[in-house]
């Protein structure tokens, strides 16, 4: 039995965010950290961006879509958005879709992204646009409409079936 309600019904469960040494975010619910103790942003750039072959994959695309299961602290998104801004084709658009069953509260997300001064050009946009963690679909537009960020807050299977 799951404790995640169907889309649109009841509150979403919380991950139980806390911070370990060196401001490392930790989800008590899963007894796991959101990224490595040694350079979370470098890890995201190597594993997520490099592992997906980005930015080469979007280099000539007028529209590029990234789908992610688990938005977490938003660090994958911020790393992708920052890289996309530097390498995109003129007029290109990015659509980032994130499914998250245990979303952070806005103040928790802010506390997590504030640690990354390298992302100071994109982090405030995410912090301003991040929705309250209510079940369902939430789309925010960033970079004058060039970036669409769609959150699917709820159980992944339920949210993807509803999409």
């Amino acid at each position: 039995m799951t404790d995640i309600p169907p889309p649109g019904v009841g509150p979403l469960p919380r991950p139980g965010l806390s911070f370990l040494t060196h401001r490392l975010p930790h989800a008590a619910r899963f007894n796991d950290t959101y990224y490595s103790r040694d350079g979370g942003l470098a890890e995201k750039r190597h594993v997520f961006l490099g592992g997906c072959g980005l930015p080469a994959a979007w280099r000539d695309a007028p529209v590029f879509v990234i789908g992610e299961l688990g938005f977490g602290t938003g660090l994958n998104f911020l790393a992708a958005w920052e890289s996309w801004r530097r390498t995109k084709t003129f007029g290109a658009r990015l659509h980032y879709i994130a499914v998250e069953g245990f979303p952070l509260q806005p103040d928790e997300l802010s506390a997590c992204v504030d640690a990354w001064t390298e992302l100071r050009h994109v982090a405030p946009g995410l912090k301003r646009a991040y929705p309250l963690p209510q079940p369902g679909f939430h789309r925010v537009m960033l970079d004058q409409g060039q970036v669409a960020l769609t959150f699917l807050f709820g159980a992944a299977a339920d949210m993807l079936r509803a999409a």
Side-chain angles (χ1 to χ4, degrees), residues 82-112:
E82 187 271 334
S83 180
W84 181 81
R85 287 176 102 192
R86 287 185 292 103
T87 61
K88 69 180 174 76
T89 302
F90 178 77
R93 299 194 181 281
L94 175 65
H95 189 174
Y96 197 103
I97 303 164
V99 183
E100 179 58 68
F102 301 86
L104 296 175
Q105 295 291 322
D107 61 325
E108 294 173 326
L109 181 102
S110 283
C112 291

Short mmCIF file of all heavy atoms in Angstrom, two decimals, residues 82-112:
data_model
loop_
_atom_site.label_atom_id
_atom_site.label_comp_id
_atom_site.label_asym_id
_atom_site.label_seq_id
_atom_site.Cartn_x
_atom_site.Cartn_y
_atom_site.Cartn_z
N GLU A 82 21.21 25.95 -16.75
CA GLU A 82 22.40 26.80 -16.85
C GLU A 82 23.22 26.42 -18.09
O GLU A 82 23.65 27.28 -18.86
CB GLU A 82 23.23 26.66 -15.57
CG GLU A 82 24.41 27.61 -15.47
CD GLU A 82 25.67 27.04 -16.09
OE1 GLU A 82 25.82 25.81 -16.15
OE2 GLU A 82 26.52 27.85 -16.53
N SER A 83 23.40 25.14 -18.32
CA SER A 83 24.15 24.68 -19.50
C SER A 83 23.41 25.01 -20.79
O SER A 83 24.00 25.45 -21.78
CB SER A 83 24.39 23.16 -19.39
OG SER A 83 25.10 22.70 -20.51
N TRP A 84 22.10 24.81 -20.79
CA TRP A 84 21.27 25.10 -21.97
C TRP A 84 21.37 26.58 -22.34
O TRP A 84 21.51 26.92 -23.51
CB TRP A 84 19.82 24.69 -21.69
CG TRP A 84 18.90 24.94 -22.84
CD1 TRP A 84 18.73 24.15 -23.95
CD2 TRP A 84 18.03 26.05 -23.01
NE1 TRP A 84 17.80 24.71 -24.77
CE2 TRP A 84 17.36 25.88 -24.23
CE3 TRP A 84 17.76 27.18 -22.24
CZ2 TRP A 84 16.42 26.79 -24.70
CZ3 TRP A 84 16.83 28.09 -22.71
CH2 TRP A 84 16.18 27.88 -23.92
N ARG A 85 21.32 27.45 -21.35
CA ARG A 85 21.41 28.90 -21.62
C ARG A 85 22.71 29.25 -22.33
O ARG A 85 22.74 30.13 -23.19
CB ARG A 85 21.33 29.71 -20.32
CG ARG A 85 19.97 29.73 -19.71
CD ARG A 85 20.01 30.47 -18.39
NE ARG A 85 19.46 31.80 -18.59
CZ ARG A 85 19.56 32.78 -17.70
NH1 ARG A 85 20.22 32.58 -16.58
NH2 ARG A 85 19.02 33.94 -17.94
N ARG A 86 23.79 28.57 -21.97
CA ARG A 86 25.09 28.86 -22.57
C ARG A 86 25.29 28.24 -23.94
O ARG A 86 26.09 28.72 -24.73
CB ARG A 86 26.22 28.35 -21.65
CG ARG A 86 26.44 29.17 -20.41
CD ARG A 86 27.65 28.70 -19.59
NE ARG A 86 27.44 27.38 -18.99
CZ ARG A 86 27.95 26.25 -19.43
NH1 ARG A 86 28.73 26.22 -20.47
NH2 ARG A 86 27.70 25.11 -18.81
N THR A 87 24.57 27.15 -24.25
CA THR A 87 24.89 26.37 -25.46
C THR A 87 23.75 26.23 -26.46
O THR A 87 23.95 25.65 -27.53
CB THR A 87 25.35 24.96 -25.05
OG1 THR A 87 24.30 24.30 -24.35
CG2 THR A 87 26.59 25.02 -24.17
N LYS A 88 22.57 26.71 -26.15
CA LYS A 88 21.41 26.50 -27.03
C LYS A 88 21.56 27.25 -28.35
O LYS A 88 22.30 28.22 -28.46
CB LYS A 88 20.13 26.96 -26.32
CG LYS A 88 20.05 28.47 -26.14
CD LYS A 88 18.77 28.87 -25.45
CE LYS A 88 18.72 30.34 -25.13
NZ LYS A 88 18.44 31.17 -26.28
N THR A 89 20.80 26.80 -29.31
CA THR A 89 20.67 27.49 -30.58
C THR A 89 19.76 28.70 -30.38
O THR A 89 18.80 28.63 -29.61
CB THR A 89 20.05 26.54 -31.63
OG1 THR A 89 20.87 25.39 -31.74
CG2 THR A 89 19.89 27.20 -32.97
N PHE A 90 20.03 29.78 -31.08
CA PHE A 90 19.21 30.98 -30.96
C PHE A 90 17.74 30.63 -31.19
O PHE A 90 17.38 29.95 -32.14
CB PHE A 90 19.65 32.04 -31.98
CG PHE A 90 18.80 33.28 -31.93
CD1 PHE A 90 18.97 34.21 -30.93
CD2 PHE A 90 17.80 33.47 -32.87
CE1 PHE A 90 18.19 35.34 -30.87
CE2 PHE A 90 17.00 34.61 -32.82
CZ PHE A 90 17.19 35.55 -31.81
N GLY A 91 16.87 31.08 -30.28
CA GLY A 91 15.43 30.87 -30.39
C GLY A 91 14.96 29.51 -29.91
O GLY A 91 13.76 29.23 -29.95
N ALA A 92 15.86 28.65 -29.48
CA ALA A 92 15.48 27.31 -29.03
C ALA A 92 14.69 27.37 -27.73
O ALA A 92 14.78 28.33 -26.97
CB ALA A 92 16.72 26.45 -28.85
N ARG A 93 13.94 26.32 -27.51
CA ARG A 93 13.11 26.20 -26.30
C ARG A 93 13.41 24.88 -25.60
O ARG A 93 13.66 23.87 -26.25
CB ARG A 93 11.64 26.28 -26.65
CG ARG A 93 11.28 27.60 -27.31
CD ARG A 93 9.78 27.82 -27.36
NE ARG A 93 9.46 29.06 -28.00
CZ ARG A 93 9.53 30.26 -27.43
NH1 ARG A 93 9.90 30.38 -26.19
NH2 ARG A 93 9.20 31.34 -28.09
N LEU A 94 13.37 24.93 -24.28
CA LEU A 94 13.60 23.75 -23.45
C LEU A 94 12.32 23.46 -22.67
O LEU A 94 11.71 24.36 -22.09
CB LEU A 94 14.75 24.01 -22.46
CG LEU A 94 15.04 22.92 -21.44
CD1 LEU A 94 15.53 21.65 -22.11
CD2 LEU A 94 16.08 23.41 -20.42
N HIS A 95 11.91 22.19 -22.68
CA HIS A 95 10.79 21.76 -21.84
C HIS A 95 11.32 20.66 -20.92
O HIS A 95 11.77 19.62 -21.39
CB HIS A 95 9.63 21.22 -22.69
CG HIS A 95 8.40 20.98 -21.89
ND1 HIS A 95 7.21 20.61 -22.45
CD2 HIS A 95 8.15 21.08 -20.56
CE1 HIS A 95 6.29 20.46 -21.50
NE2 HIS A 95 6.85 20.74 -20.35
N TYR A 96 11.25 20.93 -19.63
CA TYR A 96 11.75 20.01 -18.61
C TYR A 96 10.55 19.51 -17.84
O TYR A 96 9.76 20.30 -17.30
CB TYR A 96 12.71 20.75 -17.69
CG TYR A 96 13.59 19.89 -16.85
CD1 TYR A 96 14.93 19.69 -17.19
CD2 TYR A 96 13.12 19.28 -15.69
CE1 TYR A 96 15.77 18.92 -16.40
CE2 TYR A 96 13.95 18.51 -14.90
CZ TYR A 96 15.27 18.33 -15.26
OH TYR A 96 16.11 17.57 -14.48
N ILE A 97 10.37 18.19 -17.81
CA ILE A 97 9.23 17.57 -17.12
C ILE A 97 9.78 16.75 -15.96
O ILE A 97 10.63 15.89 -16.16
CB ILE A 97 8.43 16.67 -18.08
CG1 ILE A 97 7.97 17.48 -19.29
CG2 ILE A 97 7.25 16.03 -17.36
CD1 ILE A 97 7.51 16.64 -20.46
N ALA A 98 9.31 17.04 -14.76
CA ALA A 98 9.80 16.35 -13.56
C ALA A 98 8.64 15.74 -12.78
O ALA A 98 7.69 16.44 -12.43
CB ALA A 98 10.56 17.33 -12.67
N VAL A 99 8.74 14.45 -12.53
CA VAL A 99 7.76 13.75 -11.71
C VAL A 99 8.35 13.61 -10.31
O VAL A 99 9.47 13.14 -10.16
CB VAL A 99 7.46 12.34 -12.29
CG1 VAL A 99 6.39 11.64 -11.47
CG2 VAL A 99 7.05 12.43 -13.75
N GLU A 100 7.61 14.04 -9.31
CA GLU A 100 8.13 14.00 -7.93
C GLU A 100 7.02 13.60 -6.96
O GLU A 100 6.00 14.29 -6.87
CB GLU A 100 8.70 15.36 -7.54
CG GLU A 100 9.23 15.46 -6.13
CD GLU A 100 10.33 14.44 -5.83
OE1 GLU A 100 11.42 14.57 -6.41
OE2 GLU A 100 10.09 13.53 -5.01
N GLY A 101 7.22 12.50 -6.27
CA GLY A 101 6.24 12.01 -5.31
C GLY A 101 6.40 12.59 -3.91
O GLY A 101 5.48 12.50 -3.10
N PHE A 102 7.57 13.17 -3.63
CA PHE A 102 7.87 13.69 -2.30
C PHE A 102 8.48 15.08 -2.43
O PHE A 102 9.65 15.30 -2.10
CB PHE A 102 8.85 12.75 -1.58
CG PHE A 102 8.31 11.34 -1.44
CD1 PHE A 102 8.48 10.42 -2.45
CD2 PHE A 102 7.63 10.96 -0.30
CE1 PHE A 102 7.98 9.13 -2.33
CE2 PHE A 102 7.13 9.67 -0.16
CZ PHE A 102 7.30 8.76 -1.20
N PRO A 103 7.73 16.03 -2.96
CA PRO A 103 8.31 17.35 -3.23
C PRO A 103 8.66 18.13 -1.97
O PRO A 103 8.02 18.00 -0.93
CB PRO A 103 7.22 18.08 -4.02
CG PRO A 103 5.95 17.39 -3.65
CD PRO A 103 6.31 15.97 -3.33
N LEU A 104 9.71 18.92 -2.11
CA LEU A 104 10.11 19.82 -1.04
C LEU A 104 9.14 20.99 -0.95
O LEU A 104 8.48 21.34 -1.94
CB LEU A 104 11.52 20.37 -1.32
CG LEU A 104 12.66 19.35 -1.35
CD1 LEU A 104 13.96 20.03 -1.76
CD2 LEU A 104 12.80 18.67 0.01
N GLN A 105 9.10 21.61 0.21
CA GLN A 105 8.38 22.86 0.38
C GLN A 105 9.22 23.96 -0.27
O GLN A 105 10.45 23.81 -0.40
CB GLN A 105 8.18 23.17 1.86
CG GLN A 105 7.29 22.18 2.59
CD GLN A 105 5.85 22.29 2.14
OE1 GLN A 105 5.33 23.38 1.88
NE2 GLN A 105 5.18 21.15 2.00
N PRO A 106 8.62 25.08 -0.69
CA PRO A 106 9.41 26.15 -1.32
C PRO A 106 10.59 26.63 -0.48
O PRO A 106 11.68 26.86 -1.03
CB PRO A 106 8.38 27.26 -1.54
CG PRO A 106 7.09 26.54 -1.70
CD PRO A 106 7.18 25.37 -0.73
N ASP A 107 10.41 26.78 0.83
CA ASP A 107 11.53 27.25 1.65
C ASP A 107 12.64 26.19 1.74
O ASP A 107 13.82 26.53 1.82
CB ASP A 107 11.05 27.67 3.05
CG ASP A 107 10.40 26.53 3.83
OD1 ASP A 107 9.73 25.68 3.23
OD2 ASP A 107 10.57 26.50 5.07
N GLU A 108 12.28 24.92 1.69
CA GLU A 108 13.28 23.86 1.69
C GLU A 108 14.07 23.86 0.38
O GLU A 108 15.30 23.74 0.39
CB GLU A 108 12.61 22.49 1.88
CG GLU A 108 11.96 22.31 3.24
CD GLU A 108 11.16 21.03 3.34
OE1 GLU A 108 10.56 20.58 2.33
OE2 GLU A 108 11.13 20.47 4.46
N LEU A 109 13.37 24.02 -0.73
CA LEU A 109 14.04 24.10 -2.02
C LEU A 109 15.00 25.28 -2.03
O LEU A 109 16.15 25.15 -2.47
CB LEU A 109 13.03 24.21 -3.16
CG LEU A 109 13.70 24.26 -4.52
CD1 LEU A 109 13.61 22.94 -5.23
CD2 LEU A 109 13.12 25.36 -5.36
N SER A 110 14.56 26.42 -1.54
CA SER A 110 15.42 27.61 -1.48
C SER A 110 16.69 27.33 -0.68
O SER A 110 17.79 27.69 -1.10
CB SER A 110 14.69 28.79 -0.85
OG SER A 110 13.82 29.36 -1.76
N ALA A 111 16.54 26.71 0.46
CA ALA A 111 17.71 26.41 1.30
C ALA A 111 18.69 25.50 0.57
O ALA A 111 19.90 25.64 0.73
CB ALA A 111 17.27 25.77 2.61
N CYS A 112 18.18 24.61 -0.24
CA CYS A 112 19.06 23.69 -0.99
C CYS A 112 19.78 24.39 -2.14
O CYS A 112 20.98 24.20 -2.32
CB CYS A 112 18.25 22.52 -1.54
SG CYS A 112 17.64 21.40 -0.26
#
